[in-house]
Amino acid sequence: MAAITVADRRSRRPAFAGLVSLLWLAACGSNIDTSMPADTRQASDTPGTASPAAATGSGAASGATGAAAATGSGGSSGAVGTAGAAATGGASATGTAGAPSGDAAFIEQAVKMINDARAVARNCGTAAYAATGATRWNADAAEAATTQATYLQQNNLFSHTGANGSSVGDRLTAAGYVWSTVGENIAAGYPDMASVVKGWLDSPGHCVNMMNPNFVDVGLALVPGTSSNSYRTYWALVLAKPR
């Protein structure tokens, strides 16, 4: 898994159209996370003003604690999230794997699981988080998530960096969302939504993004892998706050 958060204080103009709904996505990372099953991988990026970003623990993603300077259209510098475990093989996709983008049941399940998690006070590594407010599904965030998940699956990669060197901020702006803060979690190999959400909550860096009270909009994507991929599933979660 991987998680990333970016904050931008400059005004932005929407470029593309929203973040794609439900797909299996994955994001960058490079550190070994011994808490993850051998056939899964996760990474988190937490740059910018996203809550306490210094995650600790085995394989936990760490992020910058200072405000990241935004560059370009929707881009940002200072995204320093590190990834979860390198793994081989892949779990067979089950449950909602391959659910079409915009599937109502997938969206309902995603919003419920994320909000149920946020409704419970918890520790993200050494940082204590109080229960926080509910999020809402956002098509732009879902599009951004889908864009990255698809890119990673098609290129058999695991990184927060997307096509043409894009960041999550770039992808969210391209989807048409004018954001002030954005975060991204990615994962690969998890067979269903329940297991990937649990994996993120069990990893300090990802947990920080999930519990960040600043975020109000979310989009989750799942993209199935093929026989040529390292993983059978690719997940991406984008969380954001508008300007």
Side-chain angles (χ1 to χ4, degrees):
M1 293 188 170
I4 179 169
T5 305
V6 179
D8 180 19
R9 298 179 191 232
R10 303 187 308 170
S11 60
R12 299 193 179 288
R13 300 188 57 167
F16 287 57
L19 299 165
V20 180
S21 296
L22 319 163
L23 291 180
W24 297 77
L25 301 176
C28 71
S30 60
N31 292 348
I32 293 178
D33 185 346
T34 58
S35 68
M36 293 301 102
D39 60 351
T40 62
R41 185 173 183 178
Q42 61 178 354
S44 69
D45 263 330
T46 51
T49 59
S51 288
T56 60
S58 176
S62 62
T65 55
T71 60
S73 174
S76 70
S77 62
V80 295
T82 60
T88 59
S92 297
T94 61
T96 57
S101 174
D103 177 85
F106 184 99
I107 293 174
E108 181 179 2
Q109 182 184 18
V111 172
K112 183 179 188 308
M113 284 192 171
I114 292 167
N115 289 340
D116 283 353
R118 288 167 64 88
V120 178
R122 68 184 70 246
N123 291 327
C124 296
T126 59
Y129 281 81
T132 190
T135 60
R136 63 201 175 196
W137 185 264
N138 180 271
D140 291 342
E143 184 179 323
T146 300
T147 296
Q148 184 64 1
T150 301
Y151 173 77
L152 296 175
Q153 183 274 320
Q154 290 179 346
N155 293 279
N156 200 34
L157 297 173
F158 191 73
S159 172
H160 283 292
T161 302
N164 301 313
S166 67
S167 68
V168 61
D170 295 324
R171 294 186 289 274
L172 189 54
T173 296
Y177 189 102
V178 183
W179 54 272
S180 60
T181 306
V182 58
E184 179 180 73
N185 285 0
I186 59 169
Y190 287 81
D192 52 41
M193 195 183 299
S195 64
V196 76
V197 168
K198 183 181 186 301
W200 282 330
L201 290 173
D202 288 344
S203 174
H206 306 88
C207 177
V208 166
N209 272 354
M210 298 280 287
M211 297 299 294
N212 189 330
N214 292 319
F215 293 135
V216 296
D217 292 320
V218 297
L220 178 68
L222 161 63
V223 174
T226 67
S227 59
S228 62
N229 286 124
S230 298
Y231 303 99
R232 293 297 180 86
T233 59
Y234 292 82
W235 295 89
L237 171 67
V238 172
L239 310 96
K241 177 183 179 180
R243 282 191 56 82

